[in-house]
Amino acid sequence: MKYNILRLVNVQFVQKRFFKKAQVRVRFAPSPTGLLHIGSLRTALYNYLFARANNGTFILRIEDTDQSRCIPEAIEKIQNDLLWSGIIPDEDPIRGGPVGPYMQSKRLEIYKEQVLKLINNQSAYYCFCTEKRLQLLRKEALKCGQVSKYDNRCRYLSNDEVKMKLDNGDAFCIRFKLFSGIECFDDLIYGRIEYDVAQREGDPIIIKADGYPTYHFANVVDDHLMQISHVFRGIEWQISTPKHIMMYKAFNWIPPIYGHLPLILNSDGSKLSKRQNDTSIESFRKEGMFPLAVLNYVTHAGGGFNNKGGAHYMDSYEELIKQFDVSKIKASSSKLSPPRLLEFNKLEMSKLLKNEKNNKLFIERVKKLVTDEFSNRQTDGSLQLDEHHIISVMKWAQNRISKLSDLVAPNLAFLWVIPTESLNTVQLEYLDTLKKLSEKLDETDLEKFNKAWINSYLKEFCNEHKISYSTLMAVLRFILSGLKEGPPVAEMVEILGKESTLLRIRRYTS
């Protein structure tokens, strides 16, 4: 059963919390343990669109409490990927905000203060079990074919025993008390969820031995203190939500409304992973994908939108905000379709090229792309990177490529660098003919130097000199591009321009 989001929000208005501030506040809370991939981007996007559609606030919070897995540069990369995507937080570690800090590693004093409340109301307890004992419990469970879980031993220590161990300086963590019984909640996407978490798990650790909170504790505390009204996160966290709701009750807090997003799978049905470079936002950026194309790619995998135009229409940011409807999100997993991304990117590229105001964007990106790819050719001055050439290439290539990185593929490298291949015996026989051709082309007015005139003239030239048109074109193509197959020669000449065309011919005829 699915729920109308407006009805659920209205129900929440009667609660004490919403009498004070009836505002939508959502968050995207990634862990900086790897690159941002397409699944995480979907979570960020849906939270962002929900906030914008409801005149709410979108927060970026970095959950870096698992210090052993954090990658130092990952935080900056996540922020850059979001900025590139057009998903701009209202509050984050850089901009700050009224409920910061927005990095969990800087909120340790807050967690220490809050966990003492649970200790004092007997919802949590100190656990002194050693790793050796916990390993023995795991081995015994495995031996008996049972699910491994903590046996809650330290829950039953007396106050005197706890005091003695603390006074002795024994190492400890803090665990939350789970109680048997079905905990239920209404998921905005999956409907009524009921789960008895205590049957499957022992009491979970909420503060680790190093003083850092676990995800389960930190996200509950932060969501409450940051006044989060709705939590949209991946389906993998749905099984933990009853546990989180228990913690809210232990604090006597009102939990947010939850909606768990179904899995997005690779095209082969396998799960996405942070270790997959081909689904990371960074890889899309490097390949020359455009932000709006990637966002449309995401919105076509999993629902939440009308998508009436299919893969032949791109929704703008404004249209995505207007269309987004939680009730339209599919509860089933969906597969990515890489060809659809290429189609979207092609559409966006053509759209951007129609507006001359975007020329600078293309010039800068193509220059970097070409110089990075052909860095060994920069010192010899052979790279053809003037602004007019770049824009001419883009307009010529827009129907031939799906992403900017295609511009430096082997079959299009001739657009930027002079080929260095040697001529074979047959091709060498045409050098005198090519010398005459270059002299004629040199006399041609620049205004005439277009595909139609070039094509017509080359045919006349072959008739005049009684040589095979197809053979001459094959030799010319090789000299201009180093390719045996490729675009028509007249197109090559037009796109390279008069100066570069003559330079390439004269390399062999001079």
Side-chain angles (χ1 to χ4, degrees):
M1 178 179 178
K2 294 193 175 181
Y3 292 82
N4 182 290
I5 191 164
L6 293 178
R7 181 175 66 81
L8 282 174
V9 172
N10 287 335
V11 169
Q12 292 294 323
F13 284 163
V14 303
Q15 298 177 352
K16 180 180 178 182
R17 171 182 172 188
F18 281 85
F19 273 122
K20 292 182 178 180
K21 192 173 185 179
Q23 182 190 6
V24 166
R25 286 176 63 84
V26 295
R27 47 72 166 180
F28 174 54
S31 298
T33 56
L35 297 174
L36 189 71
H37 64 65
I38 202 76
S40 299
L41 182 72
R42 190 268 304 263
T43 300
L45 175 64
Y46 281 24
N47 277 282
Y48 172 80
L49 294 176
F50 185 78
R52 295 293 171 263
N54 291 279
N55 197 29
T57 301
F58 172 64
I59 296 168
L60 172 64
R61 183 175 75 221
I62 301 297
E63 300 198 336
D64 59 342
T65 57
D66 191 346
Q67 292 287 294
S68 64
R69 296 178 62 227
C70 288
I71 300 173
E73 64 273 16
I75 296 175
E76 183 178 356
K77 286 185 176 181
I78 288 170
Q79 292 174 315
N80 288 341
D81 285 343
L82 291 177
L83 181 64
W84 174 83
S85 303
I87 302 174
I88 314 299
D90 301 296
E91 303 169 21
D92 65 17
I94 295 177
R95 293 168 183 78
V99 290
Y102 293 89
M103 291 178 61
Q104 288 185 334
S105 59
K106 296 182 178 180
R107 298 173 62 85
L108 298 185
E109 291 303 317
I110 295 173
Y111 304 131
K112 288 178 183 178
E113 177 186 346
Q114 295 301 322
V115 80
L116 287 178
K117 295 179 181 179
L118 297 186
I119 292 283
N120 292 334
N121 69 17
Q122 299 184 347
S123 296
Y125 60 92
Y126 296 99
C127 175
F128 302 93
C129 291
T130 63
E131 183 58 32
K132 182 178 180 181
R133 180 175 186 274
L134 296 177
Q135 286 283 6
L136 289 173
L137 288 177
R138 295 186 194 105
K139 289 181 180 179
E140 186 63 25
L142 185 63
K143 181 180 177 181
C144 299
Q146 298 174 345
V147 177
S148 176
K149 66 177 185 178
Y150 178 57
D151 61 359
N152 301 346
R153 175 185 181 183
C154 289
R155 183 197 277 212
Y156 306 105
L157 293 175
S158 67
N159 290 338
D160 289 340
E161 288 174 308
V162 170
K163 185 177 184 303
M164 181 183 69
K165 289 179 178 295
L166 291 175
D167 289 344
N168 287 340
D170 290 3
F172 67 87
C173 64
I174 299 176
R175 293 182 182 268
F176 178 74
K177 292 181 181 179
L178 297 178
F179 293 95
S180 295
I182 293 176
E183 190 69 56
C184 58
F185 69 98
D186 292 322
D187 192 305
L188 286 174
I189 296 161
Y190 289 86
R192 190 77 165 174
I193 303 296
E194 298 180 348
Y195 187 66
D196 188 345
V197 66
Q199 276 193 345
R200 299 290 184 93
E201 299 182 34
D203 292 340
I205 295 172
I206 54 176
I207 299 291
K208 294 176 287 186
D210 62 3
Y212 278 78
T214 59
Y215 166 82
H216 304 290
F217 182 69
N219 101 86
V220 166
V221 170
D222 290 344
D223 283 349
H224 174 74
L225 296 182
M226 293 181 178
Q227 302 175 45
I228 300 302
S229 62
H230 298 73
V231 171
F232 294 100
R233 59 187 179 186
I235 186 63
E236 66 272 17
W237 294 112
Q238 189 184 67
I239 198 170
S240 298
T241 301
K243 179 163 48 185
H244 299 163
I245 291 174
M246 282 188 186
M247 291 186 199
Y248 275 98
K249 289 181 177 179
F251 276 115
N252 197 26
W253 294 341
I254 296 170
I257 300 170
Y258 289 94
H260 291 89
L261 305 173
L263 287 175
I264 294 181
L265 305 173
N266 291 305
S267 56
D268 62 1
S270 60
K271 288 186 178 180
L272 298 178
S273 168
K274 287 186 178 181
R275 291 176 289 278
Q276 278 180 263
N277 288 332
D278 59 342
T279 62
S280 72
I281 307 309
E282 184 175 80
S283 71
F284 292 145
R285 293 172 64 181
K286 287 180 178 178
E287 286 184 5
M289 296 295 180
F290 291 92
L292 200 55
V294 175
L295 295 189
N296 273 262
Y297 180 47
V298 170
T299 62
H300 277 68
F305 305 84
N306 293 328
N307 300 140
K308 291 180 180 178
H312 303 292
Y313 180 78
M314 287 257 296
D315 288 313
S316 65
Y317 287 94
E318 293 77 11
E319 288 170 321
L320 289 174
I321 292 170
K322 186 177 180 180
Q323 283 187 36
F324 183 55
D325 185 347
V326 175
S327 68
K328 285 186 170 65
I329 297 176
K330 302 171 186 175
S332 57
S333 300
S334 56
K335 294 180 183 179
L336 292 170
S337 175
R340 180 170 283 180
L341 173 58
L342 297 178
E343 185 64 33
F344 281 138
N345 206 58
K346 205 170 187 177
L347 286 171
E348 178 68 354
M349 191 159 44
S350 296
K351 179 183 174 183
L352 291 172
L353 274 170
K354 289 177 182 177
N355 189 341
E356 291 185 0
K357 292 180 180 179
N358 297 315
N359 284 2
K360 187 177 180 181
L361 175 148
F362 282 109
I363 289 166
E364 290 177 354
R365 293 187 66 179
V366 172
K367 274 187 178 179
K368 184 177 189 314
L369 189 69
V370 174
T371 52
D372 287 349
E373 181 66 22
F374 304 109
S375 56
N376 60 323
R377 304 295 293 273
Q378 289 188 59
T379 54
D380 64 11
S382 64
L383 289 183
Q384 193 168 348
L385 286 174
D386 63 275
E387 296 183 0
H388 174 75
H389 178 64
I390 290 173
I391 295 303
S392 296
V393 165
M394 285 303 308
K395 291 179 179 178
W396 171 80
Q398 62 181 303
N399 294 320
R400 298 172 178 270
I401 64 173
S402 298
K403 54 187 186 297
L404 289 182
S405 60
D406 292 342
L407 289 171
V408 293
N411 65 318
L412 294 181
F414 75 91
L415 294 166
W416 318 106
V417 297
I418 298 173
T420 57
E421 288 77 6
S422 300
L423 299 182
N424 60 34
T425 305
V426 174
Q427 292 166 336
L428 286 171
E429 295 176 2
Y430 282 83
L431 289 183
D432 287 340
T433 304
L434 289 170
K435 187 174 183 179
K436 293 176 183 177
L437 176 63
S438 68
E439 291 171 353
K440 291 290 185 181
L441 292 176
D442 194 17
E443 297 170 0
T444 305
D445 293 337
L446 198 60
E447 294 76 19
K448 287 185 177 181
F449 226 74
N450 58 67
K451 180 174 64 176
W453 180 87
I454 293 165
N455 194 48
S456 175
Y457 178 74
L458 289 174
K459 289 179 179 178
E460 290 177 13
F461 181 86
C462 288
N463 288 332
E464 180 183 342
H465 292 82
K466 295 182 173 49
I467 57 176
S468 167
Y469 176 76
S470 60
T471 303
L472 182 62
M473 292 307 99
V475 176
L476 261 179
R477 178 180 288 109
F478 188 80
I479 286 176
L480 294 175
S481 67
L483 301 172
K484 293 181 180 179
E485 296 180 358
V489 171
E491 286 191 26
M492 283 187 174
V493 173
E494 181 182 56
I495 197 66
L496 288 173
K498 182 177 178 178
E499 183 180 342
S500 183
T501 297
L502 293 176
L503 173 65
R504 295 182 187 211
I505 294 175
R506 287 168 178 168
R507 285 184 67 250
Y508 294 96
T509 59
S510 298

